[in-house]
């Protein structure tokens, strides 16, 4: 069974940093590209970052470019999102998402990040 | 990276069919065969129901179907059931190596 388990969310002040983690199991992690997608409270979905299988290509939404960094370790079946210079508008549930055929086929349960003073 | 345009809400009675539209541009939906659709029930993570415009993942009911014409993709749900009540999101891969979602459509089963 495919499982994606996020952790690392919490309350952080504007300008602060947070590192989200995603532990993957139930599939060959090294064979799949991975993403982070977020959802602000009561709002829609927003794709924010992608990483390919060997970390050679990393793409970001304009809203997070230069502030967030995606990374992975295939030996540890893990995905991370380093978030710096956090803003109030980054408050959201962050989902770790596997993609296949450019569609997001498995989602974690999400971790809530709250940016507030 | 403007969001794709979806109606905020649609409704239908059990047994009826409904269609949700998703309008983008020639930079995304119009020139993309990788449009996907997601169902999200309250408090849950989204679930993939359509990929590559019209394909259904294993286990997804054949009551769900997708299509595309020009810059607009569509999701049709036939034989509406109470369990279909949820939010639905479209998504397209774009030329800028990004994905763009629609704003979401709330489906109410009357």
């Amino acid at each position: 069974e495919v499982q994606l388990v996020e952790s690392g969310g919490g309350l952080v002040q504007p300008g602060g940093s947070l590192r989200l983690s995603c532990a993957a199991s139930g599939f060959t992690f090294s064979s799949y590209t991975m993403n982070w997608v977020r959802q602000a409270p009561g709002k829609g979905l927003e794709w924010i970052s992608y990483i390919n299988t060997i970390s050679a290509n990393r793409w970001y939404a304009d809203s997070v470019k230069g502030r967030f960094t995606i990374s992975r370790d295939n030996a540890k079946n893990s995905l991370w999102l380093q978030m710096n210079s956090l803003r109030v508008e980054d408050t959201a549930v962050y989902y770790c998402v596997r993609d296949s055929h450019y569609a997001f086929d498995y989602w974690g349960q999400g971790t809530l990040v709250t940016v507030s003073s | 990276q403007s969001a794709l345009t979806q109606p905020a809400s649609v409704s239908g009675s059990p047994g009826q069919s409904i269609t949700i539209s998703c309008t983008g541009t020639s930079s995304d939906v119009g020139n993309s065969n990788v449009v996907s659709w997601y169902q999200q029930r309250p408090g849950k993570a989204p679930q993939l129901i359509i990929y590559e415009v019209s394909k259904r993942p294993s286990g997804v009911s054949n009551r769900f179907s997708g299509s595309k014409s020009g810059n607009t993709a569509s999701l049709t749900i036939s034989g509406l059931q109470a369990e279909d009540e949820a939010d639905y999101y479209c998504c397209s891969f774009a030329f800028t190596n990004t994905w763009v979602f629609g704003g979401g459509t709330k489906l109410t089963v009357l």
Side-chain angles (χ1 to χ4, degrees):
Chain A
E1 178 194 5
V2 172
Q3 284 200 322
L4 298 167
V5 180
E6 303 94 338
S7 60
L11 175 63
V12 61
Q13 291 188 337
S17 298
L18 213 53
R19 190 190 196 208
L20 304 184
S21 300
C22 172
S25 61
F27 65 102
T28 305
F29 181 72
S30 59
S31 297
Y32 287 86
T33 53
M34 298 294 296
N35 298 261
W36 289 96
V37 174
R38 70 183 180 184
Q39 186 170 34
K43 302 296 184 181
L45 301 170
E46 180 187 15
W47 170 84
I48 57 172
S49 189
Y50 157 97
I51 188 167
N52 77 345
T53 56
I54 58 172
S55 304
N57 292 322
R58 310 180 200 214
W59 304 330
Y60 299 94
D62 287 346
S63 58
V64 306
K65 199 174 295 182
R67 301 187 299 122
F68 290 11
T69 302
I70 191 171
S71 61
R72 65 189 293 164
D73 185 330
N74 289 338
K76 295 181 178 179
N77 291 340
S78 294
L79 177 74
W80 296 280
L81 185 69
Q82 177 67 43
M83 304 187 295
N84 298 331
S85 303
L86 282 162
R87 305 167 180 168
V88 170
E89 55 265 34
D90 294 319
T91 294
V93 173
Y94 285 73
Y95 293 102
C96 168
V97 186
R98 190 182 87 168
D99 89 74
S100 178
H101 304 283
Y102 292 87
F104 304 124
D105 63 348
Y106 283 94
W107 299 61
Q109 85 287 350
T111 186
L112 176 63
V113 172
T114 303
V115 185
S116 174
S117 54
Chain B
Q1 295 173 344
S2 300
L4 307 177
T5 301
Q6 297 181 231
S9 63
V10 297
S11 62
S13 300
Q16 287 186 332
S17 295
I18 63 96
T19 296
I20 299 172
S21 61
C22 168
T23 301
T25 69
S26 57
S27 295
D28 39 63
V29 175
N31 278 287
S32 174
N33 288 323
V34 285
V35 175
S36 52
W37 289 88
Y38 303 85
Q39 178 192 66
Q40 186 178 33
R41 294 192 172 98
K44 300 293 186 183
Q47 177 189 355
L48 176 67
I49 55 174
I50 295 288
Y51 68 101
E52 292 181 353
V53 177
S54 60
K55 297 177 180 178
R56 278 188 309 277
S58 174
V60 172
S61 171
N62 60 8
R63 297 186 299 105
F64 294 91
S65 62
S67 63
K68 192 189 84 165
S69 178
N71 293 340
T72 299
S74 298
L75 172 72
T76 297
I77 309 174
S78 58
L80 265 182
Q81 299 179 2
E83 67 194 45
D84 297 332
E85 190 160 288
D87 293 328
Y88 291 85
Y89 294 90
C90 62
C91 182
S92 176
F93 186 67
F95 283 170
T96 49
N97 286 339
T98 59
W99 279 263
V100 59
F101 281 95
T105 298
K106 181 177 181 61
L107 169 62
T108 300
V109 180
L110 302 170

